[in-house]
Amino acid sequence: MSDALRSGGQGNPRDRILERIRAATGKDAKSATQDLEAVQSRLREHPRGPRPPFNWPELVAQFRAQASALQSTVEVVENLADVPAAIAHYLEDLQLDRRAVSWPEFRGLDWRAAGLQVEQRTVRDGDLVGITGAYAGIAETGTLMLLSGPQTPAAMSLLPDTHIAILRTSRIVEGMEEAWNLLRNEHGKPPRAVNFVSGPSRSGDIEMQIVLGVHGPYRVHIVLVTQDAGTPRELINTDWWRQPART
Amino acid sequence: MARMSGVRADAVAKVPNFEEIRTAGAAIRDRVLSNLDAYLFQFEQAAQARGVIVHWAETGTDVNRIVRDIAQQNGVKKIIKSKSMLGEESSLNHYLQEAGLDVRETDLGEYILQISGETPSHIIAPAIHKSKEDVGELFERVHQMPRKHTIPEMCREARMMLRPHFLSADMGISGANFLIAETGSVVIVTNEGNGRMTTTMPRIHVAITGIEKVIPTLEDLSVLLRLLTRSATGQATSNYISMLTGVRGPNDSDGPEQMHVVIVDNHRTELLASDMREALRCIRCGACMNHCPVYEVIGGHTYGWVYPGPIGSVLTPSYVGLEKAGELPNASTLCGACAVVCPVKIPLPDLMRKLREKSFERKLRPASERLSMRLWGYVAARPKLYALATKLGARMLQWMGGEDKLIHKLPGGLKEWTNGRDMPAPSGKTFRELYAEKKAVGK
Ligand code: SF4
């Protein structure tokens, strides 16, 4: 059938496409309705498929090993309060900028004492270091799972040259399937963007040589926090980013 | 492609039950294809509930028109694009540029091709036919910057050139690796981060996708991702897997205000109705071309259209017509490697055989080619002869390319493949390795 003929058909494009699909798959109105019900029940049940055997002895060790394999760097601290010093060290070692922007949940940390200047505001082009939390970590692949939201903007892990993520070890799960369960249980629906980040951005587009740092960060540093300290209530302020920058 | 096939083999070897996962992946895709109307309906409902505007395009022409209208209705001037195979199918860039829009490719490989005015030769590594020297020269000329000699320097320069466009574009166009019926989400898998940029920074995001891309649930996504990344680049996961569901919320500081999904038929329903439906399982990993001896020799451009390699030999005749691409099913030795590596178990050699039969019935195959293909098959079945022939073939292509590195005619049975189009000569690894060898033996 020529393109011109198709466009001149009956109904709207949507109905015509769906009609052609039904014809191609041998459905009439009745079987289409029954099949829709079967499909809907499958979506509700969302059964798990097979996956590689997860026989690693320890989740956190597995996460660390995999994250390192994908060129993230990982370090472990005990408390959230230890994070600024750890990050200061990291930046110093690499001779990176001591100024950063962060998600608002880290506003309460004593960055100054560690010699860092960390602002809670929207990220701009030219910001060199972005500090974020993470919704979960996936041990199978050493992957960070980030959810977008008013408190957790997606661009902060994307625009700066260096992305530092603070992840509580209590949030490390086995595989993506466990992360989906967390998401369904805690949020019901996915937010605008769920980003799985596995190491710095890379390309193999020139002669298949892998180069780190193409459009996203050049480096990803993960600070694991072993003692869980939840986010203080007063920091849940839905339009923090509209307010003047604070250090 | 030796390197790409090696990394896949390593990645697969690390998963003892890869075969079981492959079978599950094929079953997921088949389940969707046999209930495609219901899954698309569910996707549409879920996406609309999150504020996504869903468009349906019957043809490539419709895709172009829809995207242009979105742009014009919203006063868009600059568009950034991450890889979209559907955009390639309909020559979207060209169309949008004709309509006065500024369109920038952002995938490094695609960007290189756009500024050099070429088309992709591989779906995962589109600029694989270009050497580092080619890219250095191109960047020097186009960017008007001092010549760069290392690949990291070139990547840095491309980043620097493209960053301002990401930040100033009004609209981002992406493809979609998957649509999720359960949540109404678009999933994009990239390594460079351009997919994230394209879908995060501009105020409008348009995802263009084929009807077959829908999958049921998040769990199914996990199964298919494990197959996709290992088969494509040998990675256990890609750098960035982004799942995009709807528009930014009232208190969000980033994300697009409008999200459009264009669902495209463009001959897919014909394939669905045919005895070649399995081809629609494809998740575009590129493994079949990485393992194809014919692709290795002739390169991606010889396939003449958007999809190269074995899957291209199957899709192209189905999408553009057997009359126009009738020779493609013969671009195979039927060695079977593609079927062995395909993560969703598409029986590619069987499908090519079916197409051969169809074109034979319709007497579409030129006699000369029938003979040369039989010859090719004979040679390919004998490893030593084959190795010799492919080496000769690769050298010959390069020599024939001459100064402008464009091949206008191919010898013997390959001739018909290049009629009517110029084919950039392969100048990637294979040739350079051969060249080095030649020099090493003092020639
Ligand atoms: S046909 Fe199979 S191997 Fe080839 S690109 Fe598609 S999924 Fe990958």
Side-chain angles (χ1 to χ4, degrees):
Chain A
M1 209 191 292
S2 81
D3 290 356
L5 262 179
R6 288 154 157 273
S7 306
Q10 292 295 304
N12 60 47
R14 173 188 185 275
D15 295 347
R16 284 198 298 270
I17 291 172
L18 289 174
E19 200 38 60
R20 280 201 294 277
I21 292 172
R22 284 184 199 118
T25 48
K27 293 192 185 188
D28 54 33
K30 187 158 165 253
S31 64
T33 314
Q34 285 166 353
D35 290 344
L36 181 61
E37 281 161 19
V39 163
Q40 285 166 339
S41 91
R42 190 173 178 88
L43 297 186
R44 275 193 301 273
E45 284 156 26
H46 50 80
R48 267 189 204 179
R51 55 185 191 179
F54 288 177
N55 47 12
W56 48 78
E58 217 266 296
L59 269 190
V60 178
Q62 165 72 13
F63 177 89
R64 290 188 69 168
Q66 292 302 310
S68 309
L70 291 166
Q71 279 92 29
S72 292
T73 48
V74 187
E75 70 178 304
V76 184
V77 300
E78 231 171 63
N79 295 299
L80 202 53
D82 305 329
V83 168
I87 291 180
H89 248 117
Y90 168 79
L91 294 174
E92 205 167 300
D93 279 354
L94 292 175
Q95 302 186 330
L96 297 173
D97 203 352
R98 300 175 72 81
R99 285 167 303 171
V101 282
S102 88
W103 282 358
E105 65 179 282
F106 304 115
R107 176 174 286 154
L109 294 181
D110 197 350
W111 299 104
R112 266 174 207 281
L116 300 179
Q117 188 192 331
V118 179
E119 294 177 61
Q120 285 75 41
R121 58 162 169 78
T122 47
V123 65
R124 293 190 286 255
D125 190 36
D127 286 330
L128 295 175
V129 181
I131 301 174
T132 73
Y135 179 68
I138 300 188
E140 180 188 2
T141 46
T143 299
L144 297 166
M145 180 187 192
L146 307 174
L147 307 188
S148 75
Q151 306 287 316
T152 55
M156 204 167 285
S157 59
L158 181 62
L159 294 182
D161 287 3
T162 303
H163 171 208
I164 300 176
I166 302 167
L167 172 67
R168 294 176 176 85
T169 51
S170 60
R171 301 294 292 183
I172 296 180
V173 296
E174 282 88 349
M176 230 185 205
E177 288 84 349
E178 284 79 8
W180 297 135
N181 276 355
L182 266 187
L183 183 64
R184 287 195 187 99
N185 293 337
E186 295 180 348
H187 293 261
K189 285 185 271 192
R192 182 193 69 77
V194 178
N195 282 301
F196 292 94
V197 175
S198 306
S201 85
R202 72 196 68 198
S203 174
D205 274 356
I206 306 176
E207 292 195 353
M208 287 189 269
Q209 181 187 315
I210 301 298
V211 173
L212 298 184
V214 187
H215 298 303
Y218 286 91
R219 48 190 90 76
V220 174
H221 186 61
I222 303 171
V223 184
L224 294 177
V225 179
T226 56
Q227 306 298 315
D228 200 39
T231 309
R233 265 322 296 173
E234 74 267 18
L235 298 183
I236 313 281
N237 166 10
T238 50
D239 58 358
W240 62 273
W241 60 271
R242 292 184 199 281
Q243 296 174 355
R246 272 172 49 179
T247 52
Chain B
M1 293 289 108
R3 177 149 160 218
M4 284 177 104
S5 50
V7 291
R8 176 201 166 270
D10 292 347
V12 168
K14 285 189 194 134
V15 182
N17 60 339
F18 195 77
E19 196 48 36
E20 185 193 3
I21 300 175
R22 245 181 116 211
T23 305
I28 290 168
R29 298 295 299 131
D30 278 348
R31 184 172 304 117
V32 166
L33 293 174
S34 55
N35 279 307
L36 191 54
D37 58 331
Y39 282 109
L40 284 171
F41 176 78
Q42 285 299 126
F43 169 81
E44 183 185 46
Q45 298 281 302
Q48 284 173 342
R50 299 294 298 269
V52 175
I53 301 168
V54 179
H55 307 258
W56 298 74
E58 297 187 273
T59 65
T61 315
D62 294 346
V63 173
N64 291 348
R65 189 181 36 75
I66 289 168
V67 176
R68 183 204 57 200
D69 288 353
I70 297 170
Q72 288 180 345
Q73 281 157 18
N74 290 286
V76 167
K77 291 192 182 67
K78 187 184 284 181
I79 298 174
I80 50 170
K81 255 179 100 223
S82 72
K83 190 154 39 195
S84 159
M85 303 302 288
L86 268 299
E88 291 290 331
E89 283 186 30
S90 63
S91 303
L92 178 64
N93 281 8
H94 181 73
Y95 183 87
L96 293 175
Q97 278 156 356
E98 294 275 286
L101 293 154
D102 179 355
V103 186
R104 311 276 169 157
E105 290 289 350
T106 61
D107 173 270
L108 181 58
E110 301 278 352
Y111 172 71
I112 290 168
L113 297 181
Q114 186 184 33
I115 61 175
S116 67
E118 288 178 33
T119 52
S121 59
H122 188 283
I123 61 174
I124 301 291
I128 203 165
H129 59 286
K130 286 213 170 295
S131 71
K132 151 177 105 176
E133 288 73 23
D134 293 341
V135 177
E137 203 179 290
L138 178 72
F139 278 11
E140 182 181 16
R141 183 161 48 80
V142 176
H143 295 162
Q144 302 274 313
M145 307 261 292
R147 177 70 179 261
K148 302 294 181 296
H149 297 278
T150 70
I151 295 173
E153 284 174 330
M154 292 174 199
C155 288
R156 202 170 277 253
E157 188 170 300
R159 174 192 174 103
M160 207 178 73
M161 300 305 292
L162 280 166
R163 187 53 82 92
H165 295 305
F166 280 122
L167 299 176
S168 61
D170 311 290
M171 179 163 141
I173 298 178
S174 73
N177 292 85
F178 304 102
L179 304 176
I180 303 182
E182 178 192 355
T183 54
S185 313
V186 171
V187 177
I188 295 170
V189 181
T190 70
N191 278 316
E192 294 180 1
N194 61 319
R196 284 185 68 192
M197 288 280 195
T198 304
T199 59
T200 307
M201 306 315 291
R203 61 187 160 91
I204 302 169
H205 170 211
V206 181
I208 310 175
T209 173
I211 52 171
E212 80 281 15
K213 290 284 168 177
V214 66
I215 59 171
T217 63
L218 299 173
E219 279 71 11
D220 295 321
L221 173 67
S222 304
V223 171
L224 291 167
L225 284 173
R226 288 187 183 101
L227 293 168
L228 172 64
T229 59
R230 284 182 177 85
S231 304
T233 49
Q235 293 165 286
T237 179
S238 282
N239 265 80
Y240 300 120
I241 296 164
S242 299
M243 185 170 98
L244 305 155
T245 315
V247 295
R248 74 198 271 176
N251 292 312
D252 282 343
S253 61
D254 52 31
E257 293 154 15
Q258 284 181 36
M259 180 173 176
H260 300 259
V261 177
V262 185
I263 300 176
V264 188
D265 181 348
N266 207 23
H267 301 283
R268 285 160 173 77
T269 46
E270 288 157 38
L271 205 50
L272 187 70
S274 75
D275 56 354
M276 317 252 305
R277 183 188 290 179
E278 289 119 317
L280 291 172
R281 284 183 201 157
C282 178
I283 55 174
R284 308 272 187 269
C285 71
C288 57
M289 53 205 79
N290 295 344
H291 291 76
C292 177
V294 176
Y295 175 92
E296 170 120 34
V297 178
I298 67 176
H301 288 111
T302 319
Y303 292 84
W305 198 55
V306 179
Y307 303 101
I311 187 63
S313 296
V314 171
L315 291 181
T316 305
S318 310
Y319 290 176
V320 308
L322 205 48
E323 313 75 36
K324 290 181 211 147
E327 68 270 33
L328 278 180
N330 302 313
S332 161
T333 65
L334 299 183
C335 72
C338 49
V340 173
V341 298
C342 176
V344 285
K345 292 190 163 181
I346 301 174
L348 289 157
D350 293 348
L351 299 184
M352 280 185 262
R353 230 177 265 125
K354 281 185 194 169
L355 277 170
R356 285 181 187 197
E357 280 160 20
K358 280 179 201 174
S359 68
F360 189 82
E361 278 161 22
R362 289 155 66 176
K363 298 197 174 31
L364 289 169
R365 294 167 61 192
S368 67
E369 183 187 87
R370 226 175 301 160
L371 178 69
S372 70
M373 280 306 138
R374 217 177 301 145
L375 204 62
W376 187 300
Y378 174 88
V379 174
R382 288 155 187 81
K384 281 216 176 107
L385 252 186
Y386 180 75
L388 182 69
T390 54
K391 260 188 213 149
L392 286 176
R395 285 184 201 182
M396 210 179 311
L397 291 184
Q398 175 63 26
W399 292 340
M400 289 169 42
E403 269 298 278
D404 62 355
K405 294 203 180 171
L406 278 179
I407 292 174
H408 306 285
K409 278 270 184 287
L410 283 169
L414 292 169
K415 189 161 59 197
E416 271 108 42
W417 295 2
T418 58
N419 274 353
R421 54 184 169 256
D422 283 342
M423 186 182 94
S427 54
K429 282 277 177 198
T430 308
F431 161 68
R432 286 165 15 90
E433 279 161 7
L434 284 170
Y435 184 68
E437 276 170 33
K438 259 196 318 196
K439 280 217 292 222
V441 295
K443 197 166 170 278

